[in-house]
Amino acid sequence: MTTDITPDYDAIIIGAGMSGMYQLLRLRELGLKVLVLEAGSGVGGTWYWNRYPGARFDSESYSYGYSFSQDLLNEWNWSEHFAAQPETLRYLNHVADKFDLRRDIVFHSRVRAAHYLDDARCWEITSEDGTIRRARFLVTAIGPLSAPTMPRIEGVGSFKGEAYHTANWPHTPVDFAGKRVAVIGTGSTGVQTIQEVSKTAGHLTVFQRTPNWCAPLHNSKIDDATQAQVKANYPEMFARCRETFACFLHTPDPRGTFEVSKEEREAFFEKLYASPGFGIWQGNFRDILVDRAANAEITDFVARQIRQRVKDQAVAEKLIPKNHGFGTRRVPLETRYYEVYNQPNVELVDIKETPIVRITPTGIETSAGAYEFDIIVYATGFDAITGSFDRIDIRGAGGQRLKDKWAQGPQTFLGVQVEGFPNMMMLVGPHTALGNIPRSIEYNVDWVTRLIRTMRDRHLTFADAKPEAVAAWTEHVKNIGAGLLSNEVSSWFTGVNSNVEGKQTRIIARYSGSAPAYRAWCDEVADKGYRELELA
Ligand code: NAP
């Protein structure tokens, strides 16, 4: 009889990345017994796994770090406006030390299954080593981009040289000097990898299927005076992030593209292209991501920049996307990415023209011939947003599988709960506002913490989203994304991954309204006593 079961923990959190770490801290503050199960050997999540060469922030370092502790803000010095991965991982380890988080984290513990026990109103969580633990609440902190995918190409695995996926990068340095290197994939990760590897590789061959619209990062060191200024401005800066559409420092210009003269428009684009960070994407005219004619203007501008920067115009044309407009996929930020293709040691292979036929023991064979390599880097991305859930055998009330429930796309309440999966709370799950993710994480965690605190105070042991609340939220998420050009384009934003069975069709995977609107909705639910949840 499961009714005799007492949970071992109040809450088990899956994942010790930025969201899991912060959730641990908050639930611990409530006096709850909490455990984090983490697959890796250390904290950091994304920044633990993605240690590929060139990995760094695309949002300003100081806007990315945690905001909850003044002490932490005061003592941590970011060295660059857009910090590299090793520094971010150091930062997250510092946070783990400072708040003594590791004592409640079990490393090397990938979760295989999480089953809800109806009678006991708790979750039974099984790790890959067979260990079983039970908890009243299950908090998934498993990230939207944490299930890496290899290409479905014949012969993957047969290659005898070194082969790495960027999200499973070794902890020891990989030496590219003088080597023949292949990179497959030209998303944000591929772009950062290519820039770095091209510096030392003997010969680098980039296998590109779809080019992306990249824009300059314009990174720089933070000097002492700026450091002091950053620290003094933290309250204003976080207040700004709370107000902007996607929690970045950048927010759309209130003007429409065609409300200004052609000359003004060109000057504004030039200014944005010369400015650091996501301004050209998030701080552009208000209509570039929803109006086709407006989007065509910025698209044409960026195409002209690429043609100027790449010497061989045939190569430039290959690097200019033809099937989607600027900003309709995540914009990779780059540092001399286009100039890489002017180097004699770099070659671009357009695999739409000459598709990869197979991976061989010595390299890659395309329809045009065979290439030999010492190292192949797979920058082929992730089974995004729902993929990290699909990897775990999650079963809710009555044994219902989450994967089946979401077969036609996710259905959630606020992106936090799923009807029929009581006491399961998702952090940055499907249907939440992503944007500058740590800002969304802090909000999500605080909301979940408030719900759990309320339940504890009211001696409640059961929280499930009501079906009508899920239907209303899922419909809202669908409607709010209507008209957004990015929702008409295949990318991880729309849940498409050519390497995963059944994920070739676009879905509404993320909340694409504004972060302030998302928070307003969630706040109202909490303020009015969670009427959309069945609480018992
Ligand atoms: P991605 O954007 O999904 O890019 C994957 C790349 O691999 C695409 O170019 C894709 O081509 C290609 N590809 C996939 N399967 C292939 C196959 N079978 N054959 C040939 N090419 C294939 O993944 P990502 O670059 O890892 O980036 C994912 C997200 O992570 C980013 O959008 C960003 O949000 C985040 N990220 C952030 C940072 C940062 O903040 N600094 C850095 C890196 C990544 P198609 O386009 O044709 O599918």
Side-chain angles (χ1 to χ4, degrees):
M1 280 290 288
T2 47
T3 35
D4 297 334
I5 292 172
T6 316
D8 310 308
Y9 297 92
D10 294 309
I12 285 185
I13 299 164
I14 311 178
M18 283 198 82
S19 55
M21 290 167 67
Y22 182 48
Q23 185 69 80
L24 168 61
L25 189 68
R26 280 289 182 243
L27 292 182
R28 216 192 239 174
E29 283 168 0
L30 292 185
L32 301 186
K33 191 176 174 201
V34 190
L35 191 73
V36 179
L37 300 176
E38 165 57 48
S41 63
V43 298
T46 284
W47 302 102
Y48 168 91
W49 296 101
N50 290 271
R51 38 183 96 212
Y52 60 85
R56 70 170 59 249
F57 282 149
D58 277 348
S59 33
E60 289 75 2
S61 312
Y62 27 88
S63 79
Y64 192 99
Y66 290 114
S67 72
F68 68 85
S69 160
Q70 192 56 47
D71 212 25
L72 177 62
L73 291 169
N74 291 344
E75 72 194 11
W76 186 262
N77 293 330
W78 292 105
S79 70
E80 293 178 282
H81 286 274
F82 302 89
Q85 174 272 339
E87 184 169 339
T88 310
L89 189 57
R90 270 201 308 281
Y91 167 75
L92 292 170
N93 275 286
H94 170 75
V95 174
D97 290 338
K98 182 178 176 67
F99 298 99
D100 190 20
L101 297 181
R102 287 191 190 78
R103 70 181 151 90
D104 290 322
I105 303 175
V106 183
F107 294 103
H108 304 288
S109 186
R110 185 177 286 284
V111 171
R112 184 173 69 201
H115 295 174
Y116 182 70
L117 306 180
D118 294 85
D119 294 341
R121 290 185 174 177
C122 73
W123 284 86
E124 184 170 83
I125 294 128
T126 310
S127 297
E128 271 183 356
D129 67 4
T131 309
I132 294 175
R133 301 175 177 91
R134 298 188 184 98
R136 176 74 66 216
F137 296 102
L138 171 67
V139 182
T140 63
I142 51 185
L145 293 161
S146 58
T149 46
M150 290 289 281
R152 289 197 288 185
I153 305 175
E154 185 191 323
V156 168
S158 69
F159 181 60
K160 296 276 183 269
E162 297 170 58
Y164 309 104
H165 190 290
T166 45
N168 277 320
W169 202 261
H171 289 212
T172 46
V174 177
D175 183 13
F176 294 96
K179 304 260 177 70
R180 298 164 303 171
V181 183
V183 174
I184 303 178
T186 50
S188 300
T189 303
V191 165
Q192 290 185 336
T193 306
I194 291 161
Q195 287 166 183
E196 197 57 32
V197 172
S198 68
K199 291 177 185 165
T200 55
H203 193 83
L204 168 63
T205 311
V206 175
F207 291 86
Q208 171 191 271
R209 188 165 65 184
T210 313
N212 282 297
W213 293 105
C214 311
L217 175 67
H218 296 300
N219 189 21
S220 57
K221 297 261 183 249
I222 297 177
D223 60 28
D224 291 348
T226 312
Q227 191 76 255
Q229 213 177 11
V230 163
K231 290 190 182 180
N233 284 341
Y234 267 132
E236 290 78 11
M237 193 209 63
F238 287 123
R240 180 171 169 75
C241 290
R242 268 195 298 280
E243 283 159 18
T244 59
F245 191 90
C247 307
F248 292 110
L249 289 174
H250 314 275
T251 200
D253 190 283
R255 297 170 299 170
T257 301
F258 301 107
E259 287 168 19
V260 301
S261 69
K262 195 169 186 307
E263 292 70 32
E264 263 183 274
R265 191 157 59 238
E266 186 75 5
F268 185 52
F269 289 160
E270 290 278 5
K271 186 176 145 228
L272 291 173
Y273 201 74
S275 306
F278 277 138
I280 196 161
W281 186 32
Q282 296 291 321
N284 213 312
F285 292 117
R286 64 172 154 75
D287 50 3
I288 65 144
L289 302 178
V290 289
D291 180 284
R292 271 171 230 288
N295 186 263
E297 291 292 311
I298 180 65
T299 297
D300 175 65
F301 173 85
V302 180
R304 282 185 274 127
Q305 305 306 310
I306 298 171
R307 288 190 188 105
Q308 275 173 29
R309 292 173 59 183
V310 179
K311 285 189 187 140
D312 181 335
Q313 288 306 294
V315 175
E317 285 314 307
K318 286 182 182 168
L319 290 165
I320 295 173
K322 305 291 190 304
N323 67 350
H324 65 283
F326 177 83
T328 60
R329 290 170 136 206
R330 162 52 152 91
V331 174
L333 293 183
E334 48 85 22
T335 306
R336 299 187 57 74
Y337 174 65
Y338 290 109
E339 285 74 12
V340 160
Y341 295 97
N342 298 333
Q343 291 178 203
N345 66 332
V346 178
E347 178 186 357
L348 179 67
V349 176
D350 180 343
I351 56 172
K352 280 241 168 80
E353 271 176 16
T354 56
I356 296 177
V357 178
R358 63 182 63 84
I359 309 288
T360 68
T362 54
I364 295 176
E365 194 183 315
T366 71
S367 61
Y371 297 77
E372 299 210 332
F373 296 110
D374 302 304
I375 303 175
I376 299 178
V377 176
Y378 294 98
T380 45
F382 303 87
D383 182 359
I385 303 183
T386 51
S388 48
F389 290 88
D390 291 348
R391 288 198 302 186
I392 303 172
D393 173 20
I394 300 177
R395 297 185 197 198
Q400 176 172 210
R401 280 160 46 105
L402 184 65
K403 204 171 172 179
D404 295 341
K405 176 116 187 155
W406 285 356
Q408 307 305 320
Q411 300 159 46
T412 77
F413 179 57
L414 308 178
V416 177
Q417 285 213 278
V418 185
E419 189 246 325
F421 293 75
N423 299 354
M424 180 178 93
M425 321 287 178
M426 302 180 291
L427 301 176
V428 285
H431 292 177
T432 43
L434 295 173
N436 187 11
I437 283 190
R439 304 283 64 80
S440 305
I441 285 173
E442 285 188 332
Y443 180 78
N444 249 199
V445 167
D446 289 343
W447 194 92
V448 166
T449 306
R450 182 174 168 189
L451 172 59
I452 292 179
R453 190 186 62 221
T454 304
M455 290 179 67
R456 185 203 55 186
D457 293 349
R458 291 164 57 186
H459 307 289
L460 301 170
T461 54
F462 178 93
D464 196 6
K466 291 180 183 167
E468 59 274 22
V470 170
W473 177 254
T474 304
E475 188 62 17
H476 173 62
V477 172
K478 202 170 107 196
N479 293 339
I480 200 121
L484 204 60
L485 299 174
S486 59
N487 283 340
E488 298 169 13
V489 171
S490 294
S491 77
W492 74 261
F493 278 1
T494 46
V496 174
N497 185 319
S498 67
N499 305 307
V500 182
E501 197 66 48
K503 294 207 173 167
Q504 276 74 50
T505 315
R506 290 197 283 274
I507 58 164
I508 301 295
R510 69 197 167 110
Y511 173 86
S512 41
S514 79
Y518 173 77
R519 289 192 299 265
W521 191 306
C522 296
D523 283 348
E524 191 176 339
V525 169
D527 291 345
K528 293 195 170 156
Y530 308 102
R531 291 176 306 189
E532 296 81 354
L533 304 183
E534 191 190 333
L535 296 173

